[in-house]
mmCIF file of all heavy atoms in Angstrom:
data_model
loop_
_atom_site.group_PDB
_atom_site.id
_atom_site.type_symbol
_atom_site.label_atom_id
_atom_site.label_comp_id
_atom_site.label_asym_id
_atom_site.label_seq_id
_atom_site.Cartn_x
_atom_site.Cartn_y
_atom_site.Cartn_z
ATOM 1 N N ALA A 443 97.994 103.160 96.846
ATOM 2 C CA ALA A 443 98.874 103.048 95.678
ATOM 3 C C ALA A 443 98.047 102.560 94.495
ATOM 4 O O ALA A 443 97.595 101.405 94.467
ATOM 5 C CB ALA A 443 100.040 102.093 95.956
ATOM 6 N N PHE A 444 97.844 103.443 93.535
ATOM 7 C CA PHE A 444 97.101 103.114 92.318
ATOM 8 C C PHE A 444 97.857 102.052 91.531
ATOM 9 O O PHE A 444 99.090 102.032 91.513
ATOM 10 C CB PHE A 444 96.941 104.389 91.483
ATOM 11 C CG PHE A 444 96.241 104.178 90.175
ATOM 12 C CD1 PHE A 444 94.863 104.051 90.122
ATOM 13 C CD2 PHE A 444 96.958 104.136 88.993
ATOM 14 C CE1 PHE A 444 94.208 103.871 88.910
ATOM 15 C CE2 PHE A 444 96.323 103.965 87.776
ATOM 16 C CZ PHE A 444 94.947 103.829 87.734
ATOM 17 N N PHE A 445 97.102 101.170 90.870
ATOM 18 C CA PHE A 445 97.753 100.144 90.039
ATOM 19 C C PHE A 445 97.373 100.379 88.570
ATOM 20 O O PHE A 445 96.235 100.199 88.178
ATOM 21 C CB PHE A 445 97.312 98.744 90.459
ATOM 22 C CG PHE A 445 98.159 97.666 89.862
ATOM 23 C CD1 PHE A 445 99.302 97.238 90.507
ATOM 24 C CD2 PHE A 445 97.835 97.089 88.645
ATOM 25 C CE1 PHE A 445 100.104 96.249 89.965
ATOM 26 C CE2 PHE A 445 98.630 96.107 88.086
ATOM 27 C CZ PHE A 445 99.765 95.689 88.750
ATOM 28 N N SER A 446 98.302 100.843 87.750
ATOM 29 C CA SER A 446 99.713 101.023 88.059
ATOM 30 C C SER A 446 100.197 102.285 87.363
ATOM 31 O O SER A 446 99.409 102.999 86.736
ATOM 32 C CB SER A 446 100.509 99.821 87.565
ATOM 33 O OG SER A 446 100.340 99.707 86.142
ATOM 34 N N THR A 447 101.519 102.520 87.393
ATOM 35 C CA THR A 447 102.066 103.735 86.790
ATOM 36 C C THR A 447 102.222 103.596 85.278
ATOM 37 O O THR A 447 101.594 104.337 84.506
ATOM 38 C CB THR A 447 103.422 104.078 87.431
ATOM 39 O OG1 THR A 447 103.245 104.287 88.828
ATOM 40 C CG2 THR A 447 104.008 105.347 86.811
ATOM 41 N N GLN A 448 103.047 102.677 84.828
ATOM 42 C CA GLN A 448 103.302 102.508 83.394
ATOM 43 C C GLN A 448 103.907 101.132 83.161
ATOM 44 O O GLN A 448 104.587 100.582 84.022
ATOM 45 C CB GLN A 448 104.261 103.596 82.893
ATOM 46 C CG GLN A 448 104.377 103.738 81.384
ATOM 47 C CD GLN A 448 105.484 102.864 80.792
ATOM 48 O OE1 GLN A 448 106.424 102.474 81.498
ATOM 49 N NE2 GLN A 448 105.367 102.548 79.511
ATOM 50 N N GLY A 449 103.630 100.573 82.014
ATOM 51 C CA GLY A 449 104.179 99.255 81.671
ATOM 52 C C GLY A 449 103.104 98.273 81.251
ATOM 53 O O GLY A 449 103.386 97.315 80.527
ATOM 54 N N VAL A 450 101.864 98.469 81.725
ATOM 55 C CA VAL A 450 100.728 97.656 81.310
ATOM 56 C C VAL A 450 99.584 98.601 80.955
ATOM 57 O O VAL A 450 99.518 99.724 81.449
ATOM 58 C CB VAL A 450 100.279 96.678 82.423
ATOM 59 C CG1 VAL A 450 101.356 95.656 82.732
ATOM 60 C CG2 VAL A 450 99.893 97.442 83.689
ATOM 61 N N ASP A 451 98.693 98.151 80.092
ATOM 62 C CA ASP A 451 97.581 99.005 79.664
ATOM 63 C C ASP A 451 96.234 98.581 80.226
ATOM 64 O O ASP A 451 95.233 99.270 79.988
ATOM 65 C CB ASP A 451 97.500 99.036 78.132
ATOM 66 C CG ASP A 451 98.542 99.970 77.532
ATOM 67 O OD1 ASP A 451 98.982 100.885 78.253
ATOM 68 O OD2 ASP A 451 98.907 99.784 76.357
ATOM 69 N N ALA A 452 96.173 97.481 80.947
ATOM 70 C CA ALA A 452 94.906 97.037 81.516
ATOM 71 C C ALA A 452 95.174 96.466 82.903
ATOM 72 O O ALA A 452 96.004 95.559 83.047
ATOM 73 C CB ALA A 452 94.246 95.983 80.614
ATOM 74 N N PRO A 453 94.480 96.992 83.917
ATOM 75 C CA PRO A 453 93.545 98.117 83.832
ATOM 76 C C PRO A 453 94.279 99.432 83.549
ATOM 77 O O PRO A 453 95.508 99.469 83.566
ATOM 78 C CB PRO A 453 92.891 98.127 85.210
ATOM 79 C CG PRO A 453 93.908 97.515 86.120
ATOM 80 C CD PRO A 453 94.612 96.478 85.302
ATOM 81 N N TYR A 454 93.503 100.498 83.317
ATOM 82 C CA TYR A 454 94.089 101.760 82.873
ATOM 83 C C TYR A 454 95.205 102.213 83.800
ATOM 84 O O TYR A 454 95.021 102.332 85.009
ATOM 85 C CB TYR A 454 93.028 102.847 82.810
ATOM 86 C CG TYR A 454 91.984 102.629 81.743
ATOM 87 C CD1 TYR A 454 90.659 102.469 82.091
ATOM 88 C CD2 TYR A 454 92.324 102.600 80.396
ATOM 89 C CE1 TYR A 454 89.681 102.275 81.125
ATOM 90 C CE2 TYR A 454 91.360 102.395 79.419
ATOM 91 C CZ TYR A 454 90.039 102.233 79.787
ATOM 92 O OH TYR A 454 89.083 102.029 78.821
ATOM 93 N N PRO A 455 96.398 102.498 83.258
ATOM 94 C CA PRO A 455 97.517 103.011 84.060
ATOM 95 C C PRO A 455 97.507 104.544 84.068
ATOM 96 O O PRO A 455 96.603 105.184 83.529
ATOM 97 C CB PRO A 455 98.732 102.477 83.307
ATOM 98 C CG PRO A 455 98.284 102.510 81.866
ATOM 99 C CD PRO A 455 96.792 102.207 81.876
ATOM 100 N N LEU A 456 98.550 105.137 84.653
ATOM 101 C CA LEU A 456 98.718 106.589 84.611
ATOM 102 C C LEU A 456 99.352 107.039 83.298
ATOM 103 O O LEU A 456 99.103 108.157 82.837
ATOM 104 C CB LEU A 456 99.591 107.057 85.784
ATOM 105 C CG LEU A 456 99.077 106.731 87.193
ATOM 106 C CD1 LEU A 456 100.033 107.286 88.240
ATOM 107 C CD2 LEU A 456 97.674 107.283 87.412
#
Side-chain angles (χ1 to χ4, degrees):
F444 178 78
F445 193 88
S446 60
T447 300
Q448 193 270 338
V450 296
D451 281 336
Y454 293 118
L456 301 181

